[in-house]
Short mmCIF file of all heavy atoms in Angstrom, two decimals:
data_model
loop_
_atom_site.label_atom_id
_atom_site.label_comp_id
_atom_site.label_asym_id
_atom_site.label_seq_id
_atom_site.Cartn_x
_atom_site.Cartn_y
_atom_site.Cartn_z
N ALA L 1464 -131.01 -6.28 15.19
CA ALA L 1464 -131.10 -5.09 16.05
C ALA L 1464 -131.83 -5.39 17.35
O ALA L 1464 -132.54 -4.55 17.90
CB ALA L 1464 -131.82 -3.96 15.29
N ASP L 1465 -131.67 -6.62 17.86
CA ASP L 1465 -132.39 -7.02 19.08
C ASP L 1465 -132.08 -6.11 20.26
O ASP L 1465 -132.93 -5.90 21.13
CB ASP L 1465 -132.06 -8.47 19.43
CG ASP L 1465 -132.57 -9.44 18.40
OD1 ASP L 1465 -133.74 -9.84 18.48
OD2 ASP L 1465 -131.79 -9.81 17.49
N ALA L 1466 -130.86 -5.58 20.30
CA ALA L 1466 -130.48 -4.72 21.42
C ALA L 1466 -131.31 -3.44 21.47
O ALA L 1466 -131.41 -2.80 22.52
CB ALA L 1466 -129.00 -4.37 21.34
N ALA L 1467 -131.91 -3.07 20.34
CA ALA L 1467 -132.69 -1.83 20.29
C ALA L 1467 -134.15 -2.04 20.70
O ALA L 1467 -134.90 -1.08 20.81
CB ALA L 1467 -132.65 -1.23 18.88
N LEU L 1468 -134.54 -3.29 20.96
CA LEU L 1468 -135.91 -3.55 21.35
C LEU L 1468 -136.22 -2.97 22.73
O LEU L 1468 -135.38 -3.00 23.63
CB LEU L 1468 -136.17 -5.07 21.40
CG LEU L 1468 -136.40 -5.80 20.08
CD1 LEU L 1468 -136.47 -7.30 20.34
CD2 LEU L 1468 -137.67 -5.30 19.41
N GLN L 1469 -137.43 -2.48 22.91
CA GLN L 1469 -137.87 -2.04 24.21
C GLN L 1469 -138.03 -3.26 25.12
O GLN L 1469 -138.44 -4.33 24.66
CB GLN L 1469 -139.20 -1.29 24.10
CG GLN L 1469 -139.12 -0.02 23.29
CD GLN L 1469 -140.48 0.63 23.08
OE1 GLN L 1469 -141.50 0.12 23.52
NE2 GLN L 1469 -140.48 1.76 22.41
N PRO L 1470 -137.70 -3.15 26.41
CA PRO L 1470 -137.78 -4.30 27.32
C PRO L 1470 -139.16 -4.97 27.32
O PRO L 1470 -139.25 -6.20 27.36
CB PRO L 1470 -137.45 -3.69 28.68
CG PRO L 1470 -136.63 -2.49 28.37
CD PRO L 1470 -137.18 -1.95 27.09
N GLU L 1471 -140.23 -4.17 27.26
CA GLU L 1471 -141.57 -4.74 27.28
C GLU L 1471 -141.83 -5.61 26.05
O GLU L 1471 -142.43 -6.68 26.14
CB GLU L 1471 -142.62 -3.63 27.36
CG GLU L 1471 -142.56 -2.80 28.62
CD GLU L 1471 -141.53 -1.68 28.55
OE1 GLU L 1471 -140.84 -1.57 27.50
OE2 GLU L 1471 -141.40 -0.94 29.53
N THR L 1472 -141.36 -5.15 24.91
CA THR L 1472 -141.52 -5.92 23.67
C THR L 1472 -140.74 -7.22 23.75
O THR L 1472 -141.23 -8.29 23.36
CB THR L 1472 -141.06 -5.10 22.46
OG1 THR L 1472 -141.86 -3.92 22.36
CG2 THR L 1472 -141.17 -5.90 21.17
N ARG L 1473 -139.51 -7.15 24.25
CA ARG L 1473 -138.68 -8.34 24.36
C ARG L 1473 -139.33 -9.36 25.30
O ARG L 1473 -139.38 -10.57 25.01
CB ARG L 1473 -137.29 -7.96 24.88
CG ARG L 1473 -136.29 -9.09 24.86
CD ARG L 1473 -134.92 -8.67 25.35
NE ARG L 1473 -134.31 -7.69 24.48
CZ ARG L 1473 -134.13 -6.41 24.80
NH1 ARG L 1473 -134.54 -5.95 25.97
NH2 ARG L 1473 -133.54 -5.57 23.97
N HIS L 1474 -139.89 -8.86 26.41
CA HIS L 1474 -140.54 -9.74 27.39
C HIS L 1474 -141.75 -10.44 26.78
O HIS L 1474 -141.90 -11.67 26.86
CB HIS L 1474 -140.97 -8.91 28.61
CG HIS L 1474 -141.85 -9.65 29.56
ND1 HIS L 1474 -141.36 -10.35 30.65
CD2 HIS L 1474 -143.21 -9.80 29.60
CE1 HIS L 1474 -142.37 -10.91 31.30
NE2 HIS L 1474 -143.50 -10.58 30.69
N ARG L 1475 -142.63 -9.66 26.14
CA ARG L 1475 -143.87 -10.24 25.61
C ARG L 1475 -143.59 -11.20 24.47
O ARG L 1475 -144.24 -12.24 24.34
CB ARG L 1475 -144.81 -9.13 25.16
CG ARG L 1475 -145.46 -8.37 26.31
CD ARG L 1475 -146.59 -7.49 25.82
NE ARG L 1475 -146.10 -6.36 25.06
CZ ARG L 1475 -145.87 -5.15 25.56
NH1 ARG L 1475 -146.07 -4.93 26.86
NH2 ARG L 1475 -145.45 -4.16 24.80
N THR L 1476 -142.60 -10.89 23.64
CA THR L 1476 -142.28 -11.77 22.52
C THR L 1476 -141.68 -13.08 23.02
O THR L 1476 -142.00 -14.16 22.51
CB THR L 1476 -141.30 -11.08 21.56
OG1 THR L 1476 -141.86 -9.84 21.13
CG2 THR L 1476 -141.03 -11.94 20.35
N LEU L 1477 -140.82 -13.01 24.02
CA LEU L 1477 -140.24 -14.22 24.59
C LEU L 1477 -141.34 -15.09 25.20
O LEU L 1477 -141.35 -16.32 25.01
CB LEU L 1477 -139.19 -13.87 25.64
CG LEU L 1477 -138.56 -15.05 26.39
CD1 LEU L 1477 -137.89 -16.01 25.41
CD2 LEU L 1477 -137.56 -14.55 27.43
N LEU L 1478 -142.26 -14.47 25.91
CA LEU L 1478 -143.36 -15.24 26.51
C LEU L 1478 -144.18 -15.94 25.43
O LEU L 1478 -144.53 -17.13 25.56
CB LEU L 1478 -144.26 -14.31 27.33
CG LEU L 1478 -145.49 -14.97 27.98
CD1 LEU L 1478 -145.08 -16.05 28.96
CD2 LEU L 1478 -146.36 -13.92 28.67
N LEU L 1479 -144.50 -15.24 24.35
CA LEU L 1479 -145.27 -15.84 23.27
C LEU L 1479 -144.50 -16.99 22.62
O LEU L 1479 -145.09 -18.01 22.26
CB LEU L 1479 -145.63 -14.79 22.22
CG LEU L 1479 -146.69 -13.76 22.64
CD1 LEU L 1479 -146.73 -12.61 21.65
CD2 LEU L 1479 -148.05 -14.41 22.76
N ALA L 1480 -143.19 -16.82 22.47
CA ALA L 1480 -142.38 -17.88 21.88
C ALA L 1480 -142.37 -19.12 22.78
O ALA L 1480 -142.47 -20.26 22.30
CB ALA L 1480 -140.96 -17.38 21.65
N VAL L 1481 -142.26 -18.90 24.08
CA VAL L 1481 -142.26 -20.01 25.03
C VAL L 1481 -143.61 -20.72 25.00
O VAL L 1481 -143.68 -21.96 24.98
CB VAL L 1481 -141.93 -19.51 26.45
CG1 VAL L 1481 -142.22 -20.59 27.48
CG2 VAL L 1481 -140.48 -19.07 26.54
N GLN L 1482 -144.69 -19.96 25.00
CA GLN L 1482 -146.02 -20.55 24.97
C GLN L 1482 -146.24 -21.37 23.69
O GLN L 1482 -146.83 -22.45 23.73
CB GLN L 1482 -147.08 -19.47 25.11
CG GLN L 1482 -147.12 -18.83 26.49
CD GLN L 1482 -148.07 -17.66 26.57
OE1 GLN L 1482 -148.42 -17.04 25.56
NE2 GLN L 1482 -148.52 -17.33 27.78
N ALA L 1483 -145.75 -20.85 22.57
CA ALA L 1483 -145.88 -21.59 21.31
C ALA L 1483 -145.07 -22.89 21.37
O ALA L 1483 -145.52 -23.94 20.89
CB ALA L 1483 -145.41 -20.72 20.15
N PHE L 1484 -143.88 -22.83 21.95
CA PHE L 1484 -143.05 -24.03 22.10
C PHE L 1484 -143.77 -25.08 22.93
O PHE L 1484 -143.78 -26.28 22.60
CB PHE L 1484 -141.72 -23.65 22.76
CG PHE L 1484 -140.80 -24.82 23.01
CD1 PHE L 1484 -139.92 -25.25 22.03
CD2 PHE L 1484 -140.82 -25.48 24.23
CE1 PHE L 1484 -139.07 -26.33 22.27
CE2 PHE L 1484 -139.98 -26.55 24.47
CZ PHE L 1484 -139.10 -26.98 23.49
N ILE L 1485 -144.39 -24.64 24.02
CA ILE L 1485 -145.11 -25.57 24.89
C ILE L 1485 -146.26 -26.24 24.12
O ILE L 1485 -146.44 -27.46 24.19
CB ILE L 1485 -145.64 -24.84 26.13
CG1 ILE L 1485 -144.47 -24.48 27.06
CG2 ILE L 1485 -146.67 -25.70 26.89
CD1 ILE L 1485 -144.85 -23.58 28.22
N ARG L 1486 -147.01 -25.45 23.38
CA ARG L 1486 -148.14 -26.02 22.62
C ARG L 1486 -147.67 -27.05 21.59
O ARG L 1486 -148.36 -28.02 21.31
CB ARG L 1486 -148.92 -24.90 21.94
CG ARG L 1486 -149.66 -23.99 22.90
CD ARG L 1486 -150.58 -23.03 22.16
NE ARG L 1486 -151.23 -22.10 23.06
CZ ARG L 1486 -150.81 -20.86 23.30
NH1 ARG L 1486 -149.74 -20.40 22.67
NH2 ARG L 1486 -151.45 -20.08 24.15
N GLU L 1487 -146.50 -26.81 21.02
CA GLU L 1487 -145.97 -27.73 20.00
C GLU L 1487 -145.44 -29.03 20.60
O GLU L 1487 -145.26 -30.02 19.89
CB GLU L 1487 -144.85 -27.05 19.22
CG GLU L 1487 -145.32 -25.92 18.31
CD GLU L 1487 -144.16 -25.13 17.73
OE1 GLU L 1487 -142.99 -25.53 17.97
OE2 GLU L 1487 -144.42 -24.13 17.06
N HIS L 1488 -145.18 -29.04 21.92
CA HIS L 1488 -144.58 -30.21 22.56
C HIS L 1488 -145.44 -30.80 23.67
O HIS L 1488 -144.94 -31.52 24.53
CB HIS L 1488 -143.20 -29.83 23.12
CG HIS L 1488 -142.19 -29.47 22.07
ND1 HIS L 1488 -142.12 -28.19 21.53
CD2 HIS L 1488 -141.25 -30.20 21.43
CE1 HIS L 1488 -141.16 -28.16 20.62
NE2 HIS L 1488 -140.62 -29.35 20.54
N LEU L 1489 -146.74 -30.54 23.62
CA LEU L 1489 -147.63 -31.03 24.66
C LEU L 1489 -147.64 -32.56 24.73
O LEU L 1489 -147.91 -33.14 25.79
CB LEU L 1489 -149.06 -30.52 24.42
CG LEU L 1489 -149.31 -29.03 24.66
CD1 LEU L 1489 -150.74 -28.68 24.28
CD2 LEU L 1489 -149.04 -28.67 26.12
N ASN L 1490 -147.39 -33.22 23.61
CA ASN L 1490 -147.45 -34.69 23.60
C ASN L 1490 -146.24 -35.34 24.27
O ASN L 1490 -146.22 -36.55 24.46
CB ASN L 1490 -147.57 -35.20 22.16
CG ASN L 1490 -146.37 -34.85 21.31
OD1 ASN L 1490 -145.65 -33.89 21.61
ND2 ASN L 1490 -146.15 -35.58 20.23
N ASP L 1491 -145.26 -34.53 24.65
CA ASP L 1491 -144.06 -35.06 25.30
C ASP L 1491 -144.29 -35.10 26.81
O ASP L 1491 -144.35 -34.05 27.46
CB ASP L 1491 -142.86 -34.17 24.97
CG ASP L 1491 -141.57 -34.67 25.61
OD1 ASP L 1491 -141.61 -35.70 26.31
OD2 ASP L 1491 -140.53 -34.00 25.41
N PRO L 1492 -144.39 -36.27 27.42
CA PRO L 1492 -144.64 -36.33 28.87
C PRO L 1492 -143.48 -35.78 29.69
O PRO L 1492 -143.64 -35.47 30.88
CB PRO L 1492 -144.85 -37.83 29.13
CG PRO L 1492 -144.16 -38.51 28.00
CD PRO L 1492 -144.31 -37.61 26.81
N ASP L 1493 -142.31 -35.65 29.07
CA ASP L 1493 -141.14 -35.13 29.78
C ASP L 1493 -140.98 -33.62 29.62
O ASP L 1493 -139.96 -33.06 30.04
CB ASP L 1493 -139.88 -35.83 29.28
CG ASP L 1493 -139.84 -37.31 29.64
OD1 ASP L 1493 -140.28 -37.63 30.77
OD2 ASP L 1493 -139.43 -38.12 28.81
N LEU L 1494 -141.96 -32.96 29.03
CA LEU L 1494 -141.92 -31.50 28.91
C LEU L 1494 -141.88 -30.89 30.30
O LEU L 1494 -142.76 -31.14 31.13
CB LEU L 1494 -143.15 -31.01 28.15
CG LEU L 1494 -143.24 -29.51 27.85
CD1 LEU L 1494 -142.16 -29.09 26.86
CD2 LEU L 1494 -144.62 -29.17 27.30
N ASN L 1495 -140.87 -30.06 30.57
CA ASN L 1495 -140.72 -29.49 31.92
C ASN L 1495 -139.97 -28.17 31.83
O ASN L 1495 -139.41 -27.82 30.78
CB ASN L 1495 -139.96 -30.48 32.82
CG ASN L 1495 -138.58 -30.81 32.29
OD1 ASN L 1495 -137.72 -29.94 32.19
ND2 ASN L 1495 -138.35 -32.08 31.93
N PRO L 1496 -139.96 -27.40 32.92
CA PRO L 1496 -139.30 -26.08 32.89
C PRO L 1496 -137.85 -26.13 32.45
O PRO L 1496 -137.37 -25.23 31.76
CB PRO L 1496 -139.44 -25.59 34.33
CG PRO L 1496 -140.70 -26.24 34.82
CD PRO L 1496 -140.69 -27.61 34.19
N GLY L 1497 -137.13 -27.20 32.82
CA GLY L 1497 -135.73 -27.28 32.45
C GLY L 1497 -135.52 -27.33 30.94
O GLY L 1497 -134.70 -26.57 30.40
N CYS L 1498 -136.25 -28.20 30.25
CA CYS L 1498 -136.05 -28.31 28.80
C CYS L 1498 -136.62 -27.10 28.07
O CYS L 1498 -136.09 -26.69 27.04
CB CYS L 1498 -136.66 -29.60 28.27
SG CYS L 1498 -138.45 -29.71 28.32
N ILE L 1499 -137.68 -26.50 28.61
CA ILE L 1499 -138.25 -25.30 27.99
C ILE L 1499 -137.26 -24.14 28.10
O ILE L 1499 -137.01 -23.42 27.13
CB ILE L 1499 -139.59 -24.93 28.67
CG1 ILE L 1499 -140.62 -26.02 28.43
CG2 ILE L 1499 -140.10 -23.59 28.14
CD1 ILE L 1499 -141.86 -25.88 29.30
N ALA L 1500 -136.68 -23.96 29.28
CA ALA L 1500 -135.71 -22.88 29.48
C ALA L 1500 -134.49 -23.09 28.58
O ALA L 1500 -134.00 -22.14 27.94
CB ALA L 1500 -135.29 -22.82 30.94
N ALA L 1501 -134.02 -24.33 28.49
CA ALA L 1501 -132.83 -24.62 27.67
C ALA L 1501 -133.10 -24.33 26.20
O ALA L 1501 -132.22 -23.82 25.49
CB ALA L 1501 -132.42 -26.07 27.86
N ALA L 1502 -134.31 -24.64 25.74
CA ALA L 1502 -134.65 -24.42 24.32
C ALA L 1502 -134.66 -22.94 23.97
O ALA L 1502 -134.53 -22.58 22.79
CB ALA L 1502 -136.01 -25.04 24.01
N HIS L 1503 -134.83 -22.07 24.99
CA HIS L 1503 -134.90 -20.63 24.72
C HIS L 1503 -133.69 -19.88 25.30
O HIS L 1503 -133.70 -18.65 25.36
CB HIS L 1503 -136.21 -20.07 25.29
CG HIS L 1503 -137.42 -20.59 24.57
ND1 HIS L 1503 -138.00 -21.79 24.88
CD2 HIS L 1503 -138.11 -20.08 23.51
CE1 HIS L 1503 -139.02 -22.00 24.06
NE2 HIS L 1503 -139.10 -21.00 23.22
N TYR L 1504 -132.69 -20.65 25.74
CA TYR L 1504 -131.42 -20.06 26.23
C TYR L 1504 -131.65 -19.08 27.37
O TYR L 1504 -131.03 -18.01 27.43
CB TYR L 1504 -130.67 -19.39 25.07
CG TYR L 1504 -130.47 -20.30 23.89
CD1 TYR L 1504 -131.30 -20.23 22.78
CD2 TYR L 1504 -129.46 -21.27 23.90
CE1 TYR L 1504 -131.12 -21.09 21.70
CE2 TYR L 1504 -129.28 -22.14 22.84
CZ TYR L 1504 -130.11 -22.04 21.74
OH TYR L 1504 -129.94 -22.90 20.68
N ILE L 1505 -132.54 -19.46 28.28
CA ILE L 1505 -132.77 -18.65 29.47
C ILE L 1505 -132.70 -19.56 30.69
O ILE L 1505 -132.75 -20.79 30.58
CB ILE L 1505 -134.15 -17.93 29.44
CG1 ILE L 1505 -135.29 -18.96 29.32
CG2 ILE L 1505 -134.20 -16.93 28.30
CD1 ILE L 1505 -136.68 -18.35 29.38
N SER L 1506 -132.58 -18.96 31.88
CA SER L 1506 -132.53 -19.75 33.10
C SER L 1506 -133.93 -20.17 33.52
O SER L 1506 -134.94 -19.59 33.08
CB SER L 1506 -131.89 -18.93 34.23
OG SER L 1506 -132.74 -17.83 34.55
#
């Protein structure tokens, strides 16, 4: 039921997911906006 989520909730949850992904991949020197965006299917 993702379509029923309020925009603010969707925004904050996506941000938290991205931040968690970054923390899990800090040891990768090639971590960059391109691979982070691709991993979350956003531009």
